[in-house]
């Protein structure tokens, strides 16, 4: 790690409404394999006073919201960092930082095939459920209801507000100008050597521009860095300015305006990119046959509340859902111990469990000892909407890369960038293209050798 990294003592200082913050001499870009592993780097930046302890905005480009909550984790775990980090998974690592008071605004920028949360602004509370001491939310979107996470506000203590903005990003046609074409071409030339990706278990890797052709994910905990940051306030004031725009860029320019309005409410922001924003697979569709997957959907189906449900109706919905999931968990735990016909028929006789017989019989025709814990995990993703699954063409990936390029052109520079780069569904690797976009922002080199 270079001396300009997050642990460095040097660097300029800047003012925010949250007090005096240190400024990195060069922008850190933290690269991980599993998305939850970016959180320690964000916490480190808070501890070193590069990020404020509160009122952070989080711009999240991903095919998944990652806004669930560890269902049974005591809320107070968030105040023990090491215990917290050991509890997190790829789907539930953001909300604990909201409950801890660090993040106040989340902007989820999602591709067209990811529709887990409805478009627009969602304002709700997260807090400690006084009856269970676990974290729960007042959010009423199906995303939260289907996981049994909703409670009324009067049942929460230590409440923290969250403003969630869900914004669609469509692909943008590349510009016909020679300059734009040259930049896109250079981005396509920067390819990573990913031959060793399958065998690596690294948590973080570093990439510098000169190393892009031979860098692998096995290099740990270094950073890609940029030149000194622009004055944030000046950049924000220019955020919504646009001129000589091609028609294909106009929709994404509107997104820029919306995002910048959100950023003005925070004291600093983190830019977070998961490469499955560009292309994504539902891994369970490859693990199970179509019939088995349909049976899982039948077993785990979430009965939505009425559109204008009262608080009582929402509570009934959540209570029924929690009981349904507890019964399914108990059934598959029993099958782990003994999956004979007697055990199977016992559970299949329970309401809503009839499909269990056909599912288990199908699984056992393909493998002698099915992994029932994994089957249950797959089922938990089959509620009101299945996990996004869209293997993009090169043209689609290029269109989304172009959208990100337009998006970042007029946005202020973040305090730091985090990237989750596990790739399992792409015909091309957009990682180097993303780094190239960052380096070309406003013609300034964001990235320099670490």
């Amino acid at each position: 790690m270079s001396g300009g990294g997050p642990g460095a003592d040097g660097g300029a200082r800047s003012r925010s409404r949250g007090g005096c913050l240190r400024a990195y001499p060069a922008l850190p870009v933290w690269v991980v394999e599993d998305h939850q592993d970016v959180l320690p780097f964000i916490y480190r930046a808070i501890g070193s006073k590069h990020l404020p302890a509160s009122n952070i905005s989080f711009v999240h480009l991903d095919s998944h919201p990652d806004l669930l909550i560890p269902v049974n984790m005591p809320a107070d775990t968030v105040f023990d960092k090491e215990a917290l980090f050991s509890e997190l998974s790829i789907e539930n690592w953001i909300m604990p930082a909201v409950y801890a008071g660090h993040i106040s605004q989340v902007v989820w920028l999602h591709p067209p095939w990811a529709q887990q949360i409805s478009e627009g602004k969602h304002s709700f509370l997260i807090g400690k459920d006084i009856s269970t001491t676990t974290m729960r939310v007042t959010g009423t979107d199906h995303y939260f209801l289907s996981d049994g996470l909703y409670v009324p506000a009067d049942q929460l203590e230590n409440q923290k507000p969250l403003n969630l903005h869900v914004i669609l990003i469509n692909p943008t046609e590349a510009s016909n100008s020679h300059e734009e074409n040259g930049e896109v071409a250079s981005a396509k030339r920067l390819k990573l050597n990913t031959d060793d990706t399958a065998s690596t278990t690294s948590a973080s890797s570093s990439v510098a521009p000169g190393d892009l052709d031979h860098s692998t994910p096995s290099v740990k905990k270094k950073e890609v860095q940029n030149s000194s940051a622009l004055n944030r306030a000046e950049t924000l004031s220019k955020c919504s300015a646009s001129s000589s725009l091609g028609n294909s860029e106009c929709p994404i320019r509107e997104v820029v305006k919306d995002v910048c309005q959100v950023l003005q409410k925070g004291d600093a922001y983190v830019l977070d990119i998961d490469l499955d924003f560009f292309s994504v697979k539902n891994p369970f569709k490859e693990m199970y046959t179509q019939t088995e997957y349909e049976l899982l959907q039948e077993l785990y189906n979430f009965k939505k509340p009425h559109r204008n449900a009262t608080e009582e109706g929402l509570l009934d919905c959540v209570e029924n859902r929690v009981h349904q999931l507890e019964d399914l968990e108990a059934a598959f735990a029993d099958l782990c111990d003994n999956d004979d016909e007697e055990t199977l028929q016992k559970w299949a006789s329970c309401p809503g469990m009839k499909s269990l017989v056909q599912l288990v019989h199908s699984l056992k025709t393909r493998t002698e000892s099915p992994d029932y814990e994994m089957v249950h995990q797959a089922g938990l993703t089959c509620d009101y909407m299945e996990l996004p699954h869209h293997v993009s063409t090169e043209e689609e990936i290029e269109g989304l890369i172009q959208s990100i390029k337009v998006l970042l052109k007029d946005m202020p520079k973040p305090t730091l960038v985090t990237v989750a780069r596990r790739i399992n569904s792409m015909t091309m690797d957009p990682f180097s293209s993303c780094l190239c976009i960052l380096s070309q922002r406003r013609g300034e080199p964001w990235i320099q050798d670490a």
Side-chain angles (χ1 to χ4, degrees), residues 17 55-60 65 67 94-95 97-99 101-109 117-126 137-139 144 159-167 258-259 261-266:
R17 290 176 296 178
N55 202 28
I56 298 170
S57 298
F58 194 73
V59 179
H60 179 60
L67 291 170
I94 298 174
M95 292 298 277
V98 177
Y99 177 68
H102 302 312
I103 294 174
S104 299
Q105 290 84 224
V106 172
V107 181
W108 179 38
L109 303 177
I117 302 178
S118 56
E119 296 290 311
K121 181 180 178 181
H122 305 255
S123 296
F124 54 91
L125 302 172
I126 181 172
V137 299
T138 60
F144 301 111
Q159 299 175 356
K160 299 294 193 307
L162 175 64
N163 291 314
L164 168 63
H165 302 261
V166 180
I167 302 174
D258 293 341
V259 173
Q261 286 178 358
V262 176
L263 296 183
Q264 288 176 329
K265 300 174 183 177

Side-chain angles (χ1 to χ4, degrees), residues 273-285:
I273 304 172
D274 191 322
L275 294 192
D276 75 14
F277 172 85
F278 298 95
S279 183
V280 65
K281 283 184 178 180
N282 177 347
F284 299 118
K285 284 196 167 183

Side-chain angles (χ1 to χ4, degrees), residues 29-33 38 272-275 417-421 431:
V29 178
W30 292 105
V31 181
V32 303
E33 295 296 303
V38 306
D272 175 71
I273 304 172
D274 191 322
L275 294 192
V417 178
T418 54
V419 180
R421 73 167 310 278
F431 178 57

Side-chain angles (χ1 to χ4, degrees), residues 30-242:
W30 292 105
V31 181
V32 303
E33 295 296 303
D34 294 317
H35 210 160
Q36 74 271 17
D37 290 335
V38 306
L39 193 59
F41 298 111
I42 295 171
Y43 272 50
R44 183 183 299 180
I46 294 171
S48 62
K49 299 191 184 303
H50 290 91
L51 281 172
S54 61
N55 202 28
I56 298 170
S57 298
F58 194 73
V59 179
H60 179 60
L61 288 94
D62 199 333
S63 281
H64 307 95
D66 297 349
L67 291 170
L68 293 176
I69 293 170
V71 174
N72 298 315
M73 186 184 80
D76 290 346
T77 304
V78 304
F79 304 115
D80 181 341
K81 287 188 297 183
E82 296 309 316
L84 172 64
F85 297 156
S86 69
E87 292 279 347
L88 300 180
S89 300
I90 55 175
E91 78 280 1
N92 61 22
W93 57 276
I94 298 174
M95 292 298 277
V98 177
Y99 177 68
H102 302 312
I103 294 174
S104 299
Q105 290 84 224
V106 172
V107 181
W108 179 38
L109 303 177
H110 65 95
W113 50 82
Q115 302 288 336
Q116 297 93 312
I117 302 178
S118 56
E119 296 290 311
K121 181 180 178 181
H122 305 255
S123 296
F124 54 91
L125 302 172
I126 181 172
K128 181 197 287 189
D129 185 339
I130 57 178
S131 64
T132 65
T133 73
T134 57
M135 285 183 290
R136 291 295 183 265
V137 299
T138 60
T140 58
D141 194 274
H142 294 152
Y143 180 79
F144 301 111
L145 294 174
S146 65
D147 237 43
L149 299 177
Y150 166 81
V151 298
D154 60 10
Q155 199 172 319
L156 292 177
E157 61 183 12
N158 193 27
Q159 299 175 356
K160 299 294 193 307
L162 175 64
N163 291 314
L164 168 63
H165 302 261
V166 180
I167 302 174
L168 171 66
I169 301 291
N170 281 306
T172 300
E173 291 182 13
S175 168
N176 291 324
S177 73
H178 294 296
E179 178 184 2
E180 293 286 336
N181 286 339
E183 290 175 359
V184 171
S186 66
K188 290 180 70 174
R189 284 196 298 269
L190 295 171
K191 289 289 184 180
L192 287 172
N193 177 0
T194 55
D195 293 343
D196 299 326
T197 300
S199 61
T200 183
T201 58
S202 68
S204 175
S205 64
S206 68
V207 183
D211 297 329
L212 285 172
D213 290 327
H214 56 266
S215 172
T216 71
S218 61
V219 184
K220 290 191 176 183
K221 295 185 179 177
K222 292 185 180 179
E223 24 175 74
V224 180
Q225 298 178 310
N226 78 313
S227 62
S228 59
L230 290 175
N231 179 278
R232 183 172 181 274
E234 177 184 283
T235 309
L236 279 171
S237 69
K238 296 178 180 178
C239 238
S240 60
S242 60

